Amino acid sequence: MIQGAAVRRLCWLTARVDFRIERGAVARLVIDRVEKRNALTRSMWEALPGLLAELADDDEVQVLLVTGAGPSFSAGADIRELISGDDPADPMAELRASNLRAQAALREFPKPTIAVVRGHCIGGGLEIAVNCDFRFAARDASFGVTPARIGVVYPPAAIKVLLDLVGPATTKYLLFSGELLTADEAELKGLVDRVADDPMAAAEAFAETLVSRSQLTIRSAKESVNALLAGENADAAAVRRYRETIASGELAEGIEAFTQKRSPEFVWHPR
């Protein structure tokens, strides 16, 4: 079993484009624009896919925690940029494209992701949170999508993520009203997986559990869930992963450890 101190060990740290990355078996991607309550700019949306690609390629990283610096996760998009594009007929075109690419990159990140939310998680902040696999929230957290307050037409791709997660009634409630949900309300509606006094500690403990499991099993399960949500056939990829668990010895190690009543020592890494 990997101990918490080892899970939280930082290999190195970088800060770019208002994000901070802390590397280790459990890495952190921190939205770091505290003076603006971590409001997300177009340059931040543009940078996110590249940062995620680096973390996906890092063999040491097994779980990614996504959080915000300071008291808020993110208060949403930087309003000043919403209609700053060059095309007067569609001034949000470039921002919208960058936003949707970033959401897709987070949704398709191959390793488990956990959003750790304190304070406001609104608009673009909620888009980041719902594209993670799990959401752990502080008791003071609040969640909302506010396009109806300013007249923004929300893109269908972003609506589908909400729809898959919480169903049509809650999706409509959030989009129609622009009202905020408390952490307890969000948990009741399935938007949040766990509410805790210290959500980071709770997320790290859960991440430690994930690190101890078969990464091949987790990778295959995430691939299948994503494919099924996209309406794609997941069978062929799952068969390939099944063959890989045999060839790599992953399944044999799991069974042997179970029969010997010891913790397994899984060794699979993606090629």
Side-chain angles (χ1 to χ4, degrees):
M1 178 71 71
I2 296 177
Q3 298 303 309
V7 170
R8 293 191 294 272
R9 181 175 61 83
L10 307 184
C11 290
W12 52 272
L13 179 148
T14 64
R16 285 175 291 177
V17 200
D18 300 308
F19 288 105
R20 188 170 75 249
I21 296 175
E22 301 171 358
R23 300 200 182 220
V26 177
R28 293 188 195 182
L29 175 64
V30 183
I31 309 167
D32 193 4
R33 198 174 175 229
V34 178
E35 72 283 1
K36 296 294 184 180
R37 291 192 302 162
N38 298 326
L40 295 147
T41 64
R42 177 182 160 191
S43 63
M44 293 170 71
W45 290 119
E46 289 174 344
L48 193 53
L51 298 177
L52 291 169
E54 288 183 20
L55 291 163
D57 289 341
D58 187 335
D59 287 344
E60 184 177 15
V61 174
Q62 296 184 47
V63 180
L64 178 62
L65 307 184
V66 182
T67 193
S72 287
F73 183 81
S74 172
D78 192 320
I79 297 296
R80 296 171 302 174
E81 293 192 346
L82 288 184
I83 54 173
S84 62
D86 296 330
D87 183 356
D90 187 1
M92 291 182 62
E94 294 175 347
L95 176 62
R96 183 171 58 250
S98 298
N99 168 274
L100 292 175
R101 280 194 297 271
Q103 289 190 59
L106 185 53
R107 187 166 60 249
E108 295 162 7
F109 188 75
K111 305 168 187 183
T113 53
I114 306 171
V116 184
V117 179
R118 298 185 185 88
H120 289 102
C121 181
I122 300 171
L126 187 65
E127 288 172 347
I128 287 179
V130 299
N131 280 286
C132 291
D133 297 315
F134 308 100
R135 284 146 297 283
F136 284 41
R139 300 193 186 280
D140 71 344
S142 58
F143 301 83
V145 192
T146 56
R149 294 188 180 189
I150 55 176
V152 171
V153 172
Y154 213 59
I159 292 176
K160 185 178 186 303
V161 176
L162 266 179
L163 193 62
D164 288 338
L165 184 63
V166 298
T170 298
T171 298
K172 290 175 183 177
Y173 178 88
L174 290 167
L175 289 169
F176 292 6
S177 71
E179 302 260 326
L180 303 186
L181 300 178
T182 66
D184 288 337
E185 290 170 336
E187 184 180 33
L188 186 64
K189 292 179 180 295
L191 187 61
V192 164
D193 297 289
R194 190 176 301 177
V195 177
D197 293 326
D198 187 343
M200 182 58 74
E204 288 178 336
F206 182 58
E208 184 174 339
T209 296
L210 298 183
V211 169
S212 72
R213 304 306 193 222
S214 166
Q215 300 308 301
L216 175 54
T217 298
I218 291 173
R219 181 69 58 92
S220 178
K222 184 162 184 176
E223 289 170 350
S224 291
V225 169
N226 284 351
L228 292 168
L229 286 173
E232 300 170 355
N233 190 318
D235 291 344
V239 168
R240 287 195 297 273
R241 291 301 191 190
Y242 167 72
R243 291 172 178 162
E244 192 172 1
T245 201
I246 302 296
S248 66
E250 191 88 340
L251 178 59
E253 167 59 19
I255 292 173
E256 184 177 350
F258 180 81
T259 58
Q260 294 177 356
K261 295 182 172 56
R262 61 172 174 83
S263 297
E265 297 180 7
F266 293 118
V267 298
W268 178 87
H269 289 287
R271 297 172 188 171

